[in-house]
Amino acid sequence: MSFQPKSLCVFCGSKNGNDPTYVEEAKALARMMAKKEIELVYGGGSIGIMGIIAQEILDHGGRVTGVIPEFLQKHEVGHHGLSELIITESMHERKRTMFEKSDGFIVLPGGLGTMDETFEIMTWKQLRLHNKPIIVLDTKDYWQPFHQLVEATIAGGFAHEGVRDLYCLVKTAKSVFECFEDIPDVLEEVFTSHL
Ligand code: AMP
């Protein structure tokens, strides 16, 4: 199935990471999204890769919606130049809003918050609560330990092998969009095999 998103949620770090390729690939993705007129939905901050991707899209004429909880506004320095900034009461409301406003999800390098968001969206898909694409951008093999952890859950008998289809792992920003050409359907057994 070919997929033409109107909006994509990007999960990524509130830091830049220590390899400049992380930032370069985030910017490349941002420019492609702006060119394809795909709206960015993200955590609303102005720091780290979060702030960089938002600014790059705005600089290239794209639309950006930020979703930030009130208590993080001061820490993440909510971005003031966004097309739209939604303030939520809690982290849970933030993640729910980001989910509802997006046609799919892209995961860039990030820290624990990025992992939390990624695992949540993957588990919702495992439970068949949604069927939106999840693309993990494995810049410089950053997400290999994550990928191996998922493999370990299969090898250890805690997940159906169909969970491999919950997400697509790609190496470059360009291949994110190639991935949209052929998104696998997740097997029903991923949810039902152990019920
Ligand atoms: P990080 O990857 O830790 O830099 O965080 C990236 C984004 O995830 C930031 O917007 C954080 O506010 C958010 N975040 C951090 N910790 C959590 C958490 N426990 N649950 C949900 N989001 C979080």
Side-chain angles (χ1 to χ4, degrees):
M1 144 188 107
S2 178
F3 171 66
Q4 312 274 342
K6 288 195 175 66
S7 61
L8 287 172
C9 180
V10 173
F11 299 138
C12 60
S14 52
K15 291 174 180 283
N16 286 7
N18 54 20
D19 187 317
T21 317
Y22 302 143
V23 167
E24 284 161 22
E25 282 293 294
K27 284 186 170 178
L29 177 71
R31 289 191 294 273
M32 283 182 248
M33 285 177 65
K35 195 169 172 206
K36 291 174 188 290
E37 297 185 10
I38 298 171
E39 176 178 354
L40 169 70
V41 177
Y42 86 117
S46 64
I47 54 175
I49 294 184
M50 297 175 75
I52 286 169
I53 191 167
Q55 194 56 51
E56 190 77 358
I57 290 190
L58 292 169
D59 289 348
H60 287 80
R63 187 177 158 80
V64 179
T65 293
V67 186
I68 196 163
E70 207 164 6
F71 85 97
L72 271 186
Q73 259 280 48
K74 57 180 188 297
H75 296 296
E76 291 190 356
V77 201
H79 196 298
H80 294 296
L82 302 180
S83 319
E84 188 180 4
L85 183 66
I86 299 170
I87 313 271
T88 62
E89 282 185 13
S90 66
M91 292 298 268
H92 286 106
E93 188 192 346
R94 176 204 226 183
K95 290 194 283 183
R96 183 85 217 167
T97 305
M98 286 164 73
F99 165 72
E100 285 168 355
K101 289 198 152 288
S102 311
D103 295 332
F105 306 90
I106 301 179
V107 182
L108 304 188
L112 298 182
T114 304
M115 271 188 262
D116 169 82
E117 292 161 341
T118 305
F119 274 121
E120 182 167 86
I121 217 67
M122 274 175 60
T123 54
W124 288 0
K125 193 167 178 178
Q126 178 177 237
L127 296 172
R128 302 176 74 81
L129 295 173
H130 73 88
N131 194 29
K132 300 182 185 183
I134 303 168
I135 316 287
V136 178
L137 181 45
D138 192 28
T139 306
K140 292 253 178 141
D141 296 334
Y142 180 77
W143 287 118
Q144 282 304 305
F146 163 89
H147 190 50
Q148 283 157 15
L149 187 58
V150 174
E151 287 295 330
T153 64
I154 299 169
F158 285 103
H160 189 278
E161 59 183 27
V163 299
R164 291 192 183 104
D165 291 334
L166 289 172
Y167 63 99
C168 179
L169 197 78
V170 299
K171 291 293 176 193
T172 62
K174 189 164 164 272
S175 32
V176 165
F177 296 95
E178 289 162 8
C179 220
F180 287 154
E181 297 299 318
D182 189 20
I183 295 178
D185 283 330
V186 176
L187 295 173
E188 197 178 332
E189 296 90 281
V190 164
F191 177 39
T192 57
S193 63
H194 52 294
L195 298 182

